[in-house]
Amino acid sequence: DAGVTQSPTHLIKTRGQQVTLRCSPKSGHDTVSWYQQALGQGPQFIFQYYEEEERQRGNFPDRFSGHQFPNYSSELNVNALLLGDSALYLCASSLIGSTYSNQPQHFGDGTRLSIL
Amino acid sequence: SQQGEEDPQALSIQEGENATMNCSYKTSINNLQWYRQNSGRGLVHLILIRSNEREKHSGRLRVTLDTSKKSSSLLITASRAADTASYFCATRTYSGNTPLVFGKGTRLSVIA
């Protein structure tokens, strides 16, 4: 049973560039959430995708955008990269609905993004 | 913004000792979850406690929840070197698939 997979594992970019990160959810899951984790901090919610639409969004600027595909996989895009975007980006998958609110989210190992 | 605050920020103990980490949060919750993160890796779910529960056990883990004080504690008994990691509490405020709100974490070091 494949868990959540993310690619790439590491990425180095320069300021002003654009980046795309990818996530495949755990088998059977339909919802993907993205989190940003700065060094020494807890993860912060960026947004959540379900049925190919952004359903909820955290306090992140429009430079952060995403997409979900019919096979439930997802991409996170960040434009006009800033030094402060350096972080570990985590993808988590789950099932939608109140029935599943007492189920944990399943996390991938993340993409480490470094901005020079 | 962070919902929870873990205490202490860092904890160093000897193998075989118990480790206790605390978490405080700000708003009413549906459930509270604890996750472990090994250095630079993803988060692994440890235990979930619902708002109507007061205590829960899983192996060497014991979690308590006091909704009147908006606080939770995670106890790891008979710690092992492999327990060395960062531990985060995360809250879910409503039923349904609302996002998790994490604290800043406790860094636990277990010395063999």
Side-chain angles (χ1 to χ4, degrees):
Chain A
D1 180 17
V4 179
T5 58
Q6 292 188 242
S7 63
T9 55
H10 294 85
L11 205 49
I12 299 174
K13 293 285 187 177
T14 57
R15 283 178 295 175
Q17 285 189 313
Q18 178 265 342
V19 68
T20 297
L21 311 181
R22 295 177 176 81
C23 171
S24 292
K26 177 179 168 67
S27 178
H29 283 181
D30 57 9
T31 302
V32 172
S33 301
W34 287 92
Y35 293 82
Q36 179 195 65
Q37 186 180 21
L39 199 62
Q41 301 293 313
Q44 295 222 2
F45 174 72
I46 303 174
F47 43 53
Q48 180 189 82
Y49 276 83
Y50 170 66
E51 289 187 333
E52 303 179 47
E53 289 189 14
E54 182 183 297
R55 299 292 177 168
Q56 299 183 71
R57 189 178 183 94
N59 189 25
F60 279 81
D62 291 346
R63 297 187 298 108
F64 289 77
S65 64
H67 189 78
Q68 186 180 34
F69 300 93
N71 66 353
Y72 307 116
S73 66
S74 176
E75 289 182 349
L76 164 64
N77 301 294
V78 187
N79 295 323
L81 287 166
L82 304 173
L83 292 178
D85 294 333
S86 294
L88 180 67
Y89 288 85
L90 294 163
C91 170
S93 72
S94 56
L95 286 163
I96 200 79
S98 59
T99 307
Y100 305 104
S101 64
N102 287 312
Q103 297 295 318
Q105 291 193 334
H106 294 254
F107 284 81
D109 279 340
T111 294
R112 173 71 62 186
L113 176 62
S114 300
I115 310 301
L116 303 179
Chain B
S1 62
Q2 309 280 168
Q3 151 86 306
E5 289 286 338
E6 284 93 340
D7 168 52
Q9 291 186 338
L11 180 61
S12 183
I13 61 174
Q14 297 289 326
E15 206 167 30
E17 293 181 336
N18 295 342
T20 299
M21 289 159 267
N22 302 297
C23 167
S24 60
Y25 56 92
K26 299 173 185 175
T27 64
S28 297
I29 61 171
N30 175 267
N31 64 61
L32 184 145
Q33 305 176 32
W34 285 91
Y35 287 81
R36 184 187 73 225
Q37 184 178 37
N38 290 88
S39 180
R41 301 294 299 275
L43 281 80
V44 175
H45 179 260
L46 296 176
I47 197 165
L48 180 151
I49 187 165
R50 304 180 188 195
S51 59
N52 61 354
E53 296 176 315
R54 292 297 167 259
E55 187 171 315
K56 205 162 181 180
H57 296 255
S58 176
R60 293 184 297 113
L61 306 179
R62 172 179 171 257
V63 168
T64 62
L65 178 65
D66 187 336
T67 54
S68 67
K69 295 182 179 178
K70 291 187 170 59
S71 67
S72 173
S73 68
L74 171 67
L75 168 67
I76 304 174
T77 59
S79 62
R80 305 164 181 169
D83 295 329
T84 295
S86 291
Y87 292 81
F88 295 91
C89 70
T91 55
R92 178 162 275 162
T93 53
Y94 303 108
S95 62
N97 214 331
T98 53
L100 293 173
V101 182
F102 286 85
K104 294 184 178 180
T106 292
R107 293 190 308 280
L108 174 65
S109 298
V110 182
I111 302 165

